[in-house]
Amino acid sequence: MTSEYADIPVEELTEESAAVELERLAREILRHDKLYHGGDSPEISDAAYDALRRRNLAVEQAFPHLVREDSPSRRVGFVALDKFEKITHAMPMLSLANAFSDEDVADFWDSVTRFLKLDGRPALTAEPKIDGLSLSLRYENGRLASAATRGDGVVGENVTTNARTISDIPNVLAGNDIPQVVEVRGEVYMTKQAFQALNAKLEAEGKPAYVNPRNTAAGSLRQLDSAVTAQRPLRFFAYAWGEMSSVPRSTQMEMVALLGQWGFKTNPLMKRFTGLAELLEHYHAIEEGRAELAYDIDGVVYKVDDLGLQARLGMRSNSPRWAIAHKFPAEKAWTLLKDIEIQIGRTGALTPVARLEPVTVGGVVVTNATMHNEDYIKGIGNDGQPIRGGKDLRIGDTVMVQRAGDVIPQILDADLEKRPEDSRPFEFPTVCPACGSHAVREVNVQTGKQDSVRRCTGGLICPAQAVERLKHFVSRNAFDIEGLGDKQVEAFYAEGMIRTAADIFRLREEDEKSLKRLKDREGWGETSAKNLFEAIEVRRDIALYRFIFGLGIRHVGEQTAKDLARAYGDIDAFSAAMKKLAAGEEEAQEELIAIDGIGGTVAFALKEFFAEPRNVAVYDALLEEVRPQPAEQAASDSPVAGKTIVFTGSLERMTRDEAKAMAERLGAKVSGSVSSKTDLVVAGPGAGSKLKKAADLGVETTDEDGWFELVGQA
Ligand code: IVH
């Protein structure tokens, strides 16, 4: 399809011609996608295809309001994007063990040498540890097939469309020695300069700023609208690889050089060493030059250069034995402690927070820091022994702040010489500043020791606890209500729109009223309110464990909630058991403690929670609104139990997510890529390379109907 506008530069397009162009590009790209994925021979070169996609994004950037519903930038393959699909990594994405001192590094090198029973230390490479987020890029026949975030290391998010907008990431590999399957791994990052420019722009638009370049890069990559990602200047360094149909070089240095030839940016500070003194010298040189680098780094990574030795060293559960990250020491700075405020947590814990004269610590402006608890301020450690030589911390003190990576900054020390003469020890409140209830330090019955945390006894009457409970309720691992963040919860609570979790689900009932109120709120339009109602609606059906976790019961974390959900199976069984527990029935208590992973502390916390009638009232009201879904049990008698399944092509009777959930429910493992470990490939129309690979490897294949027959749901 040609168009009279196809050759006009983007800057010269008018509204009208841009709309025509976007329509043409959407159709063209879809047609080429179909040709490509359908296994037919493509009509245009990869480079020409990439040029079409780039032009589409460029026009969309210039005319954001013209972005089409069916825009290629909103599609991954053929599936419409409403949230990211999951991708199971062909090889897990590991993390790195840490070294914090020169001695740790020497120990690492020695242990590697011992493990391999070598006479001398094997060569190591050393390169900066980029402070970004890792990304795995899968190339099939030299062409970018998918891009996935690390996720939990096993399953990540499919961010292919967004990755295509990053200019450091080639869509097509260049050069020679390109294996059929190549997974390139590396770090997505944003330069310090780009971060500052973006924040300045966001602030000028009255939008919230990002905290640091790393969070910004992560937020930018995980945009559902890839036109937004395209506007963010993201960069990429390649430094490792995952699955490779063959490994064309024999050392880390050579492989990274090859990544460079394929078209990736690699870090120029990477060097190879055989001696400890030289290696550490390089580390210290990188550390000293840190501020001048265009991007943030948080250490130096050492890797055994010889790939044969890497293979012999292998992995621990979570990290390779052949690499280590030598972290930079935490950054410290002195500043004035202006005030100490008390924050109240969801379970009533009173945490002292230092309000500081703003100070830059390692490139980040710090204004708050945690002071942990009452004893910490007094100069007493968790074990009851003096810390800082027993020195206390006072308002008006000049204090040392430490910031390490993403951890909340903390106050380490005070300079007594600068202490004002009229300063007095801080008086920790014994009543809750939010509700006035007594705040007490419990004594552990088993150890007889006093808890270092002081807690508000106000429970359900304490507004601060109520707000924190609501924040927890809507948080990502609980009900995960999009558009209802901490700020909204605080504001809605303050206005009396929500008091308990159930109220969230009644917001819509008051449609008229709340819509108007929401609309009047700064930054809220009718669409945001509608979107919020929809986000709430979809959570009425909720996994049982999320429901239990969302209640915010002390000591009931996500894992415990999962254990409980699996053990009781459904909400009726759970409710009945909790009622009996609260009534003091021995049997219920025994049944509870018999559950794998549940001990006396959790049992006591559950009993306390359900023995409180006001908690039960909130619980019952919530159950009027939501429907917790039975926990899914792995059916071991299914013919697919224990099998590894790959779904590919477009599915017509179910979505990808459904297919995956169904397979997992039946005890199967779902993978994103075909390998010799795959037991079955379920292919819908449009299946391409994966189907072909299955045929090559002799892996069994079936279609969607065949799948339903197999699992007995035809
Ligand atoms: S190698 C199997 N090299 O650090 C090891 N990682 O703490 C693969 N990172 O998840 C990682 N710069 O996101 C490696 N030059 C570098 C790195 C690097 C940053 C990140 C990476 C990894 C994390 C582990």
Side-chain angles (χ1 to χ4, degrees):
M1 182 178 145
T2 51
S3 143
E4 53 188 309
Y5 304 121
D7 296 323
I8 297 185
V10 176
E11 312 81 72
E12 290 170 23
L13 289 174
T14 60
E15 285 270 321
E16 221 170 298
S17 53
V20 176
E21 256 304 79
L22 286 175
E23 189 193 344
R24 174 188 78 93
L25 288 162
R27 275 204 235 164
E28 273 294 274
I29 293 169
L30 180 65
R31 195 167 67 82
H32 292 302
D33 279 346
K34 282 189 174 157
L35 284 173
Y36 180 79
H37 291 285
D40 293 327
S41 48
E43 275 175 19
I44 55 171
S45 71
D46 289 341
Y49 172 84
D50 290 342
L52 285 178
R53 274 196 169 262
R54 271 201 303 274
R55 181 166 170 88
N56 184 64
L57 280 173
V59 180
E60 288 185 344
Q61 271 176 56
F63 299 92
H65 55 288
L66 295 183
V67 175
R68 300 168 59 86
E69 277 295 309
D70 64 349
S71 165
S73 64
R74 298 195 165 188
R75 263 191 298 122
V76 175
F78 295 118
V79 190
L81 206 65
D82 59 350
K83 68 176 190 215
F84 294 111
E85 255 189 79
K86 301 280 189 239
I87 288 191
T88 304
H89 300 300
M91 278 170 62
M93 289 182 80
L94 302 170
S95 48
L96 292 169
N98 289 322
F100 296 100
S101 66
D102 293 1
E103 293 74 52
D104 288 352
V105 177
D107 288 349
F108 162 74
W109 213 344
D110 287 341
S111 75
V112 163
T113 314
R114 269 200 310 277
F115 189 97
L116 295 167
K117 295 201 172 61
L118 298 179
D119 293 333
R121 288 169 166 163
L124 295 184
T125 61
E127 70 202 68
K129 184 170 188 295
I130 316 298
D131 199 5
L133 67 149
S134 46
L135 186 66
S136 184
L137 303 165
R138 189 177 174 91
Y139 290 82
E140 289 169 3
N141 300 314
R143 194 188 159 103
L144 182 62
S146 62
T149 59
R150 179 170 187 276
D152 61 4
V154 176
V155 180
E157 283 177 326
N158 185 340
V159 291
T160 313
T161 314
N162 292 348
R164 283 187 205 282
T165 69
I166 301 176
S167 57
D168 284 348
I169 296 178
N171 268 310
V172 179
L173 300 183
N176 304 313
D177 293 340
I178 303 170
Q180 196 247 326
V181 174
V182 170
E183 264 179 28
V184 175
R185 293 182 174 173
E187 206 82 353
V188 174
Y189 67 97
M190 190 178 272
T191 64
K192 300 180 205 171
Q193 205 182 11
F195 160 72
Q196 273 157 7
L198 175 66
N199 258 359
K201 185 165 159 268
L202 290 175
E203 261 162 43
E205 290 167 1
K207 294 184 186 149
Y210 281 103
V211 187
N212 57 39
R214 193 176 64 79
N215 291 347
T216 320
S220 303
L221 186 66
R222 295 185 68 263
Q223 292 284 336
L224 284 174
D225 180 355
S226 53
V228 176
T229 310
Q231 286 168 16
R232 305 280 174 87
L234 293 176
R235 308 290 310 263
F236 182 79
F237 273 129
Y239 53 64
W241 54 95
E243 194 189 353
M244 287 271 200
S245 47
S246 64
V247 181
R249 297 287 183 273
S250 59
T251 66
Q252 186 76 27
M253 274 316 251
E254 292 166 341
M255 270 304 291
V256 171
L258 185 60
L259 295 178
Q261 286 165 26
W262 288 346
F264 290 98
K265 298 280 187 313
T266 57
N267 196 285
L269 296 172
M270 179 176 181
K271 280 192 179 159
R272 179 178 182 276
F273 296 92
T274 50
L276 183 63
E278 295 79 15
L279 180 91
L280 293 174
E281 204 176 302
H282 189 51
Y283 166 85
H284 291 292
I286 292 178
E287 185 186 8
E288 265 154 45
R290 188 176 175 189
E292 273 78 59
L293 288 178
Y295 44 87
D296 277 345
I297 61 173
D298 59 347
V300 172
V301 182
Y302 307 127
K303 299 172 188 169
V304 172
D305 190 34
D306 185 309
L307 301 186
L309 298 182
Q310 283 192 6
R312 280 177 57 198
L313 284 157
M315 330 276 174
R316 298 179 208 91
S317 65
N318 204 15
S319 60
R321 236 176 245 112
W322 44 264
I324 198 161
H326 189 178
K327 302 296 278 280
F328 293 137
E331 313 250 2
K332 298 181 179 96
W334 290 93
T335 191
L336 184 71
L337 174 58
K338 293 198 299 190
D339 200 2
I340 298 174
E341 279 173 24
I342 303 294
Q343 267 177 8
I344 297 120
R346 162 169 64 83
T347 57
L350 269 55
T351 304
V353 177
R355 302 286 175 218
L356 305 167
E357 186 67 42
V359 60
T360 307
V361 192
V364 171
V365 178
V366 173
T367 47
N368 303 320
T370 181
M371 301 175 89
H372 305 289
N373 55 53
E374 182 174 2
D375 279 353
Y376 189 85
I377 297 179
K378 282 188 189 150
I380 304 170
N382 276 339
D383 53 3
Q385 298 302 310
I387 48 172
R388 300 184 296 268
K391 205 192 292 177
D392 70 340
L393 300 169
R394 301 185 184 181
I395 295 170
D397 271 348
T398 298
V399 291
M400 186 195 272
V401 193
Q402 168 174 290
R403 189 186 71 89
D406 250 5
V407 187
I408 305 170
Q410 46 176 332
I411 304 288
L412 290 187
D413 203 0
D415 184 347
L416 288 191
E417 292 189 1
K418 296 197 177 145
R419 177 169 280 179
E421 279 179 13
D422 58 352
S423 80
R424 269 176 293 125
F426 179 71
E427 266 183 51
F428 205 90
T430 52
V431 295
C432 171
C435 69
S437 304
H438 286 295
V440 299
R441 294 176 62 171
E442 291 165 9
V443 174
N444 185 316
V445 262
Q446 270 149 28
T447 61
K449 270 207 212 138
Q450 200 181 34
D451 195 353
S452 51
V453 175
R454 192 174 280 279
R455 280 175 204 282
C456 159
T457 54
L460 288 162
I461 66 148
C462 177
Q465 286 187 49
V467 170
E468 294 307 312
R469 269 199 304 273
L470 286 166
K471 286 183 191 168
H472 169 83
F473 182 82
V474 301
S475 69
R476 190 151 167 204
N477 296 336
F479 272 66
D480 190 20
I481 298 179
E482 208 168 307
L484 201 50
D486 287 1
K487 290 229 165 65
Q488 284 82 24
V489 169
E490 276 166 23
F492 291 179
Y493 186 91
E495 282 184 26
M497 287 162 70
I498 51 175
R499 282 282 177 243
T500 74
D503 297 337
I504 295 172
F505 293 91
R506 297 197 200 106
L507 273 174
R508 187 177 224 161
E509 260 165 49
E510 302 185 42
D511 210 23
E512 280 292 273
K513 216 164 59 191
S514 47
L515 239 186
K516 185 174 174 334
R517 273 153 108 178
L518 290 175
K519 254 184 354 195
D520 293 344
R521 178 178 301 287
E522 224 181 305
W524 273 82
E526 199 152 326
T527 334
S528 342
K530 283 221 170 93
N531 286 345
L532 176 59
F533 292 150
E534 265 162 40
I536 292 170
E537 254 352 91
V538 300
R539 291 293 184 261
R540 285 192 193 265
D541 287 311
I542 189 86
L544 179 58
Y545 86 86
R546 283 179 178 269
F547 171 84
I548 296 173
F549 176 61
L551 296 172
I553 301 168
R554 204 169 152 197
H555 303 300
V556 179
E558 199 183 358
Q559 189 54 50
T560 303
K562 282 183 181 167
D563 294 340
L564 290 167
R566 207 169 305 123
Y568 289 106
D570 62 42
I571 184 66
D572 293 336
F574 178 73
S575 299
M578 292 305 113
K579 214 166 264 167
K580 287 184 191 153
L581 177 74
E585 286 188 25
E586 280 288 314
E587 217 174 294
Q589 168 98 8
E590 277 162 22
E591 188 183 43
L592 181 58
I593 294 181
I595 298 171
D596 208 18
I598 310 286
T601 313
V602 171
F604 183 75
L606 284 167
K607 187 173 175 181
E608 237 190 0
F609 182 88
F610 284 100
E612 166 60 56
R614 285 177 297 185
N615 282 337
V616 177
V618 169
Y619 179 89
D620 288 343
L622 181 58
L623 279 179
E624 295 282 308
E625 303 295 336
V626 305
R627 296 170 291 267
Q629 301 298 301
E632 290 166 352
Q633 311 285 350
S636 51
D637 55 357
S638 163
V640 297
K643 298 273 166 70
T644 300
I645 317 269
V646 173
F647 292 96
T648 182
S650 52
L651 300 176
E652 285 158 346
R653 295 173 59 180
M654 54 187 170
T655 65
R656 247 339 133 74
D657 281 348
E658 270 172 341
K660 182 164 186 283
M662 179 172 170
E664 286 175 347
R665 196 166 57 232
L666 296 168
K669 192 172 153 250
V670 177
S671 170
S673 60
V674 179
S675 73
S676 56
K677 294 203 194 87
T678 311
D679 295 300
L680 176 68
V681 172
V682 182
S689 59
K690 289 184 192 169
L691 193 53
K692 186 173 170 306
K693 187 162 181 206
D696 290 347
L697 293 171
V699 171
E700 193 186 333
T701 62
T702 185
D703 60 12
E704 212 177 347
D705 291 338
W707 161 259
F708 279 102
E709 245 168 56
L710 179 66
V711 300
Q713 300 181 21

